[in-house]
């Protein structure tokens, strides 16, 4: 989901938002020739995600900057661990600080929460014998979807469709004017490329058979089903489609849901409303330089 072009666009937008006309404080107080070394340090435990943000943010401001000791994405860290050490223009480091910390704190939080859900599912397998997957949703922060979905994979989860353009997902609001679901699904499939995956959401057991009777559905979502109904739904689908459980999923319920035999569990909470992890930047201004007095016609006695 995450490529350098997408990540670069996120970083550039964040830098422009944070300093649209430059960093007035650093430009007034920090000499242009000053160099800084800083450590990106964890204040609490978490799972690393989006480490490339550090280099891309810094290099956007100082092409000669360097990043060393970067902790790989997916690695677990403890409080006070150093996630990376950066060196570059002091002005660049100071300007990059808040942007890279904001983005890292968000992505690490998503990865850390995802890991908790994955651990809660454990070794559960679907009725077909496949490991149960924890997947994300489109409940992402506008503009940060690529980064947040990457963070989900860093935490051991999987991505659902990236956007509305990737697959067909027929939900209850799409069916408000449909009287014959089976026929409507067959007709829609005729208008779609043969490679398009079709998923349909149902919220009652009796909706399952008309959906699967179309013969075109690859995944059926059992939305807000109680555990007993999830098990009954798995039996009703009988291997004719992948089964996704959604709705009412929390850390306290996801383990039991995984034991019902479903293939996928989609969790909006992986990205929606997650609290940022505390990450800090400890800066050491290396080789201090003298501040040169301002020059102007008045200073020169003209």
């Amino acid at each position: 989901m995450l490529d350098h072009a997408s990540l670069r666009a996120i970083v550039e937008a964040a830098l422009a938002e944070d300093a649209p006309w430059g960093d007035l404080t650093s430009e007034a107080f920090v000499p242009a020739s000053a160099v800084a070394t800083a450590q990106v340090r964890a204040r609490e435990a978490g799972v690393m995600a989006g480490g490339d943000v550090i280099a891309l943010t810094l290099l956007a401001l100082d092409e000669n900057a360097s990043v060393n000791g970067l902790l790989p994405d997916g690695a677990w860290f403890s409080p006070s661990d150093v996630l990376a050490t950066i060196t570059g223009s002091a002005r660049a480091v100071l300007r990059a600080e808040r942007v890279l910390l904001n983005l890292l704190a968000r992505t690490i939080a998503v990865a850390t929460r995802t890991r908790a859900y994955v651990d809660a599912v454990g070794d559960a397998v679907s009725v077909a014998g496949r490991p149960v997957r924890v997947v994300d949703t489109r409940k992402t922060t506008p503009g940060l979807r690529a980064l947040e979905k990457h963070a989900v994979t860093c935490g051991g989860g999987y991505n659902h469709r990236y956007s509305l353009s990737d697959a067909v997902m027929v939900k209850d609001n799409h069916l408000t004017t449909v009287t014959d679901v089976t026929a409507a699904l067959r007709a829609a499939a005729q208008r779609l490329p043969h490679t398009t995956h079709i998923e349909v959401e149902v919220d009652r057991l009796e909706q399952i058979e008309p959906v699967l009777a179309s013969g075109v559905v690859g995944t059926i979502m059992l939305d807000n089903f109680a555990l007993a109904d999830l098990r009954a739904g798995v039996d009703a689908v009988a291997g004719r489609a992948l089964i996704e459980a959604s709705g009412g999923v929390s850390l306290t319920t996801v383990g039991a849901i995984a034991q019902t035999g479903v293939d996928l569990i989609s969790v909006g909470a992986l990205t929606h409303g997650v609290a940022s992890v505390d990450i800090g930047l400890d800066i050491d201004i290396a080789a201090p330089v003298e501040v040169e007095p301002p020059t102007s016609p008045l200073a020169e006695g003209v």
Side-chain angles (χ1 to χ4, degrees):
M1 291 294 177
L2 187 65
D3 56 59
H4 269 224
S6 299
L7 184 52
R8 189 175 295 108
I10 290 172
V11 167
E12 290 176 352
L15 287 171
E17 177 185 61
D18 200 40
W21 303 287
D23 177 359
L24 296 181
T25 310
S26 294
E27 290 166 14
F29 285 89
V30 179
S33 58
V35 175
T37 295
Q39 293 180 326
V40 181
R41 190 181 295 274
R43 307 289 192 234
E44 57 183 303
V47 176
M48 186 63 175
D52 285 347
V53 161
I54 299 172
L56 282 179
T57 305
L58 193 58
L59 290 171
L61 302 171
D62 177 5
E63 62 182 11
N64 296 314
S66 63
V67 178
N68 296 294
L70 178 63
L71 192 69
D73 282 358
W76 183 265
F77 58 81
S78 301
S80 80
D81 282 355
V82 175
L83 308 184
T85 299
I86 62 178
T87 300
S89 158
R91 288 184 178 182
V93 171
L94 288 164
R95 182 171 169 184
E97 177 183 9
R98 181 45 51 197
V99 166
L100 71 84
L101 289 179
N102 284 350
L103 293 175
L104 272 182
R106 179 74 185 173
T107 53
I108 288 172
V110 171
T112 304
R113 177 172 287 187
T114 301
R115 180 70 59 83
Y117 274 85
V118 170
D119 288 346
V121 166
D123 297 327
V125 296
S126 70
V127 70
R130 293 181 285 260
V132 177
R133 290 186 172 190
V134 174
V135 302
D136 55 27
T137 70
R138 286 170 41 248
K139 293 180 180 179
T140 55
T141 307
L144 298 183
R145 180 168 294 176
L147 194 54
E148 291 180 354
K149 280 184 169 284
H150 171 71
V152 167
T153 66
C154 294
Y158 291 83
N159 296 142
H160 210 297
R161 60 177 178 166
Y162 181 78
S163 70
L164 293 173
S165 303
D166 295 325
V168 171
M169 180 184 287
V170 184
K171 308 188 83 171
D172 52 0
N173 286 338
H174 295 109
L175 298 173
T176 54
T177 60
V178 173
T179 55
D180 187 337
V181 173
T182 304
L185 287 170
R186 287 173 178 167
Q190 290 296 317
R191 295 189 291 270
L192 292 166
H194 70 280
T195 56
T196 303
H197 188 87
I198 300 176
E199 178 170 353
V200 179
E201 173 192 270
V202 302
D203 52 25
R204 299 188 307 279
L205 286 168
E206 58 267 26
Q207 295 175 318
I208 293 176
E209 193 54 43
V211 167
L212 293 176
S214 68
V216 299
V217 173
T219 303
I220 188 161
M221 178 194 288
L222 309 181
D223 188 44
N224 284 301
F225 275 45
L227 291 177
D229 286 340
L230 279 174
R231 287 188 285 268
V234 169
D235 290 340
V237 173
R240 290 177 287 172
L242 292 173
I243 305 168
E244 176 182 340
S246 182
V249 182
S250 68
L251 275 174
T252 58
T253 64
V254 70
I257 292 172
Q259 295 298 325
T260 63
V262 299
D263 298 284
L264 314 161
I265 305 174
S266 56
V267 187
L270 300 184
T271 55
H272 182 57
V274 69
S276 293
V277 169
D278 191 6
I279 305 294
L281 191 73
D282 300 327
I283 298 179
D284 175 33
I285 304 295
V289 296
E290 291 187 17
V291 178
E292 297 178 0
T295 58
S296 71
L298 289 178
E300 296 170 2
V302 175

